[in-house]
Amino acid sequence: MPGSNPAARDRRIVWWLLVGLVLLFGGLYVAAYLFAGDRIARGTTIAGIDVGGKTPAAAKRALTGLADSQQAITIQAGDRQIRVTPARAGLAVDIEASVDQVAVGRSWDPKHLWEFLTGGSAYDEVDEVDDDKLTQTLASLAEQVDQAPREGDIRFTIEGRAKPVYPESGRRVDVEAGAGLLVDAFPMDVDEPVEIPVIEDAPALTEAAVAQAMKDFANPAMSAPVVFLIAGERVELGPDDYADALSMKVVGDRLEPRLKAKILLAAVEPAMERIALEPEDATVAIVDGSPQVVAGKAGVTFDPEAITGAFLDLVVAEGARRELVVPTKIASPELTAAEVRTLGIKEQVSSFTTYFPYAEYRNTNIGRAAELINGTILEPGETFSLNGIVGERTVENGFVEGYVIRDGILVQDLGGGVSQVATTTFNAAFFAGLEDVEHKPHSFYIDRYPVGREATVAWPTVDLKFTNDTRHGILIQAWRDLSTPSTQGAMNVRMWSTKVWDIKAGQSERYDFTSPDTRHLGGEDCEAHTGYGGFEIDVYRYFYRPGSDKLVRKETFHTTYTPSDTVICDG
């Protein structure tokens, strides 16, 4: 055409060509979108299940079988098995997520459209794993399979021998690896067990390490006795004596000896009978009816660490080197004979005796308390405490059960009868003129005791206390005469010192009488009792200088006795 521009014409042709191609491909793209519809590409599988050509909802229904976590599976480790549902093991299939990961045809995503047109892919299911449940399941299997290794050791027997204990490997379920295997295998064929690996659990020691410890320590330690030279005495311990004090401990890849120090020292103690460890104070003994000073004895002290600290080296030494010289110190008595002589314990200053009816528990308990009190020396200013000297009334301390007063009635308890000792001792202190610090009369009157001048005790709350308020020492002599079925027993206390006072006693008339009640009690421990009334009374202590009839001072002791109730045991 005249006047036309060939270049411009060519550009228009290219432009229309491009527009045509865009329209063509756009039409094809829309056609592909419409053709694909809301379906999964053909040939698509999830966990091996064909879901191609299905809608997402239909695909989820097809995967329902994967989600069945109630059919038991078998998990095996070694020769042990457990059966458990996947749900209990913490395993499940997330159907929604498994289908959602697959491309659905009706999508503007070119990748999805291309996959739909060219054929689907193979997908794995999406699993849900509860790590806690999975670990607990494998742990329950491990309880049946695991066997701890036997560690190497050496045992020292009471026969004085050393016996090696050689190590043995154990086994354990590899829980971490097993968890991975179960997750990888799920969902699994319920007819085939899932094998969980079992690994060797090796001990820290080798047999060679045990043999070396036997050679270096155990055999030498049990080869011969050891000797301690203490204050010139030979104290010998054989292997059978100290075997219990030895043990071995695993340290890294070897066995090291250990010493139980308390057990060793307990073994040494009986062998030291000839060595006076504790000093004995000088004292006063009554010989042929008069006091005589008995000299004290020095003791020997040593640091227990001198024995325990060197022992492990001592037991592996040879010959004469199995002897150990233990450094000692002389321990002097706190009270020397010279000091005792200055106390002026030279004559009897008081004496008192009470009597008691026959009962074996009284013989035992009164005798034991008297034994503990006998020989007590009170220096000037010192206070006597019956509970402090006699201690708790226990079987280990030599006491048995007997009758005591509690809540106004008689009951059984350990130490029944010790109040007889308290009353006798109180009266001896009363007539020696000693200062009364603490005494408590019985709650109701007991007619074998002097009225208003008696004392009861109970551990640890009720005590008998008096102070030596003279310038002289006091020796307390106490003993019990046995009772028999036909004779009364007697509790005796004498006090020896330098006489400071002549003591006389007096008392008022009884007054403010009260009547008993009647109690109805039950139970196997009930003790029937016929009651009697209570009253009040005052007791006087008069102080005179020896050989003088001039009264220096007077003390009053007031006592209120409650009624002793009648007890009737019902049933």
Side-chain angles (χ1 to χ4, degrees), residues 205-343:
L205 297 180
T206 63
E207 289 190 9
V210 175
Q212 191 67 43
M214 285 288 294
K215 176 184 176 183
D216 294 343
F217 181 80
N219 287 334
M222 298 291 106
S223 64
V226 295
V227 174
F228 303 105
L229 300 175
I230 305 176
E233 297 284 349
R234 288 175 58 87
V235 177
E236 183 176 299
L237 289 186
D240 56 332
D241 295 318
Y242 57 75
D244 281 349
L246 295 178
S247 64
M248 305 297 287
K249 182 178 181 180
V250 178
V251 179
D253 59 355
R254 69 184 187 278
L255 281 173
E256 289 188 357
R258 290 291 185 269
L259 176 67
K260 302 168 188 174
K262 289 184 179 180
I263 295 178
L264 176 64
L265 294 173
V268 171
E269 187 175 342
M272 300 176 66
E273 295 175 346
R274 300 182 303 277
I275 302 172
L277 297 178
E278 297 295 333
E280 295 181 12
D281 285 343
T283 186
V284 176
I286 306 303
V287 181
D288 297 330
S290 62
Q292 293 186 10
V293 175
V294 178
K297 295 180 181 178
V300 173
T301 63
F302 64 91
D303 184 355
E305 177 67 22
I307 290 177
T308 58
F311 189 75
L312 292 179
D313 292 329
L314 183 67
V315 292
V316 295
E318 297 180 354
R321 291 188 296 120
R322 294 178 76 86
E323 293 186 359
L324 177 68
V325 177
V326 179
T328 59
K329 293 181 179 180
I330 300 300
S332 300
E334 291 185 6
L335 193 61
T336 67
E339 291 170 328
V340 170
R341 291 188 185 95
T342 66
L343 294 177

Side-chain angles (χ1 to χ4, degrees), residues 39-73:
R39 294 181 180 275
I40 296 171
R42 296 190 178 278
T44 300
T45 61
I46 299 176
I49 297 175
D50 185 5
V51 293
K54 298 180 183 295
T55 63
K60 291 173 184 177
R61 289 193 295 272
L63 297 182
T64 302
L66 291 178
D68 183 6
S69 57
Q70 301 307 312
Q71 192 170 0
I73 59 175

Side-chain angles (χ1 to χ4, degrees), residues 76-95:
Q76 180 168 332
D79 58 354
R80 299 300 177 94
Q81 294 181 340
I82 59 171
R83 288 183 61 77
V84 62
T85 63
R88 290 288 296 266
L91 298 173
V93 174
D94 188 337
I95 300 297

